[in-house]
């Protein structure tokens, strides 16, 4: 019998907690609000695992979290959040908190986009691809690359959401990123859309002009990714990507920014190369529990944490 794992998608507005083994085997789930006091949020996460009815069978817990993060398992501050845009979370260590709460249960962590990329590569739109880039567009914007089945991290993890964009000529919004202003997170994240339109993005109609700008910037981001790391596929997820028709506009924008420079083997190649997350697409089968790529990535991060424990490595 496969061991059960706990997975948590740690987002800027909510934490989605699940217990299971795969997208087809989710035994329990709960949404916990992201508070400015991280201890309140983590208490809600711990309460879920204690109440889920499967705590004795959970072999490990994995977090797919906003960051920036310390991702070195050998580091004394492994799992700690560095300077972040999320109020109240600077320096908080989610891994240490859960280890104290649950004792012997191994706990692992990855970035939210890293975990989601792992889930897409294993179960989603990246199946069969040797390389992919996952980009999330929600409360924040981030990206992660997988090549040869492994996440590409160097000195630290990728911070693609803070890359600089060539501005749309009709868009004079200064951006909302407190560090960079008009980086892509400052231009197309959920808070940015709400800030410049005065309305949450989910309440705007699909043909609202705001999404012309969103598509312009995300298409440019995709073109930059193709130019820099040349993945077989780019998968876009996050709440903003649930807007009907947005993916087609992003593809058109990416093609415009590529300007014919890259070779596509077939006319519809751009449609295959830029797609929407398995867990954002319309027509998904109904499930008993809410699930997304980040929470599923948490299950895979938990599996890695268990494997490290079994090997006796940090």
């Amino acid at each position: 019998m496969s061991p059960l794992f706990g997975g948590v998608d740690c987002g800027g507005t909510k934490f989605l907690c699940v217990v299971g083994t795969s997208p087809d085997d989710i035994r329990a789930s709960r949404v916990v609000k992201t508070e400015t006091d991280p201890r309140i949020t983590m208490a809600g996460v711990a309460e879920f695992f204690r109440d889920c009815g499967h705590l004795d069978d959970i072999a490990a817990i994995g977090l797919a979290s906003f960051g920036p993060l310390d991702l070195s398992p050998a580091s004394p501050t492994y799992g700690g959040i560095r300077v972040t845009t999320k109020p109240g979370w600077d320096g908080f260590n989610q891994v240490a908190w859960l280890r104290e709460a649950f004792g012997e249960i191994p706990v692992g962590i990855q970035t939210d986009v890293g975990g989601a990329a792992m889930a897409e590569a294993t179960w989603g739109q990246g199946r069969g691809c040797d390389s992919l880039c996952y980009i999330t567009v929600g409360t924040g914007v981030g990206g992660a690359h997988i090549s040869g089945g492994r996440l590409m991290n160097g000195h630290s993890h990728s911070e693609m959401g803070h890359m600089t964009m060539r501005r749309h000529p009709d868009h004079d919004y200064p951006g909302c990123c407190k560090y960079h202003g008009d980086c892509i997170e400052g231009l197309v994240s959920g808070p940015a859309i709400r800030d410049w339109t005065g309305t949450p993005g989910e309440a705007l109609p699909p043909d609202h002009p705001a999404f012309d700008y969103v598509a312009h910037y995300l298409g440019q981001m995709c073109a930059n990714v193709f130019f820099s790391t040349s993945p077989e596929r780019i998968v876009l997820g996050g709440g903003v990507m649930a807007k009907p028709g947005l993916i087609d506009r992003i593809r058109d924008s990416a093609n415009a920014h590529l300007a014919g420079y890259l070779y596509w083997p077939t006319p519809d190649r751009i449609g295959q190369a830029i797609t929407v997350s398995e867990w954002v697409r319309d027509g998904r089968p109904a499930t008993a529990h809410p699930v997304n790529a980040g929470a599923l990535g948490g299950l895979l991060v938990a599996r890695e944490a268990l494997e490290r424990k079994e090997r006796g490595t940090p």
Side-chain angles (χ1 to χ4, degrees):
M1 178 182 296
S2 299
L4 281 181
F5 296 110
V8 186
D9 175 43
C10 310
T13 57
K14 66 180 183 296
F15 280 38
L16 174 57
C17 311
V18 302
V19 173
T21 63
S22 72
D24 300 321
D25 179 31
I26 302 297
R27 313 287 179 88
S29 65
R30 182 181 297 173
V31 171
V32 176
K33 181 182 177 182
T34 306
E35 305 283 357
T36 54
D37 185 341
R39 293 166 297 182
I40 296 175
T41 304
M42 296 308 295
V45 172
E47 181 182 50
F48 161 73
F49 286 120
R50 293 190 181 104
D51 295 346
C52 70
H54 302 284
L55 181 59
D56 292 342
D57 300 316
I58 293 175
I61 296 171
L63 307 174
S65 176
F66 61 79
L69 299 168
D70 180 347
L71 291 181
S72 173
S75 170
T77 58
Y78 171 63
I81 297 176
R82 294 168 174 159
V83 177
T84 180
T85 58
K86 307 300 185 293
W89 286 78
D90 282 1
F92 186 77
N93 194 312
Q94 299 171 89
V95 170
W97 199 98
L98 286 175
R99 284 175 173 173
E100 183 174 348
F102 292 110
E104 295 300 313
I105 297 178
V107 181
I109 195 167
Q110 182 52 257
T111 62
D112 45 4
V113 288
M118 294 165 65
E120 291 289 349
T122 304
W123 297 305
Q125 298 284 19
R127 285 170 294 181
C129 295
D130 183 68
S131 60
L132 71 92
C133 175
Y134 179 88
I135 296 170
T136 185
V137 190
T139 305
V141 177
H145 296 269
I146 286 182
S147 181
R150 296 181 62 85
L151 279 168
M152 296 169 60
N153 287 325
H155 168 69
S156 184
H157 52 78
S158 173
E159 285 288 354
M160 292 174 58
H162 295 279
M163 67 170 61
T164 302
M165 293 285 101
R166 180 184 293 171
R167 297 300 301 271
H168 190 289
D170 299 327
H171 193 213
D172 59 2
Y173 173 65
C176 71
C177 175
K178 71 177 185 179
Y179 295 101
H180 312 113
D182 60 353
C183 62
I184 191 160
E185 179 170 293
L187 292 170
V188 306
S189 64
I193 295 171
R194 183 179 62 246
D195 190 30
W196 98 58
T197 66
T199 304
E202 58 269 23
L204 296 173
D207 60 353
H208 191 281
F211 295 108
D212 291 336
Y213 301 135
V214 171
H216 169 84
Y217 295 122
L218 288 176
Q220 185 179 168
M221 183 181 190
C222 289
N224 288 341
V225 169
F226 283 128
F227 286 138
S228 58
T229 60
S230 192
E232 293 175 55
R233 184 164 298 159
I234 296 175
V235 182
L236 293 115
V240 172
M241 288 308 305
K243 190 62 61 176
L246 181 57
I247 185 63
D248 293 323
R249 296 156 83 175
I250 292 170
R251 289 170 178 149
D252 290 343
S253 170
N255 254 337
H257 282 97
L258 290 170
Y261 188 77
L262 290 183
Y263 169 70
W264 300 111
T266 60
D268 66 345
R269 182 68 174 90
I270 194 73
Q272 301 170 27
I274 302 176
T275 188
V276 179
S277 168
E278 185 79 7
W279 295 280
V280 172
R281 296 179 301 116
D282 293 335
R284 291 173 299 159
T287 59
H289 299 286
V291 71
N292 63 15
L296 293 171
L299 299 181
L300 296 171
V301 174
R303 183 184 296 173
E304 290 185 345
L306 178 62
E307 291 171 351
R308 286 198 301 271
K309 180 181 179 181
E310 291 174 341
R311 292 194 304 267
T313 57

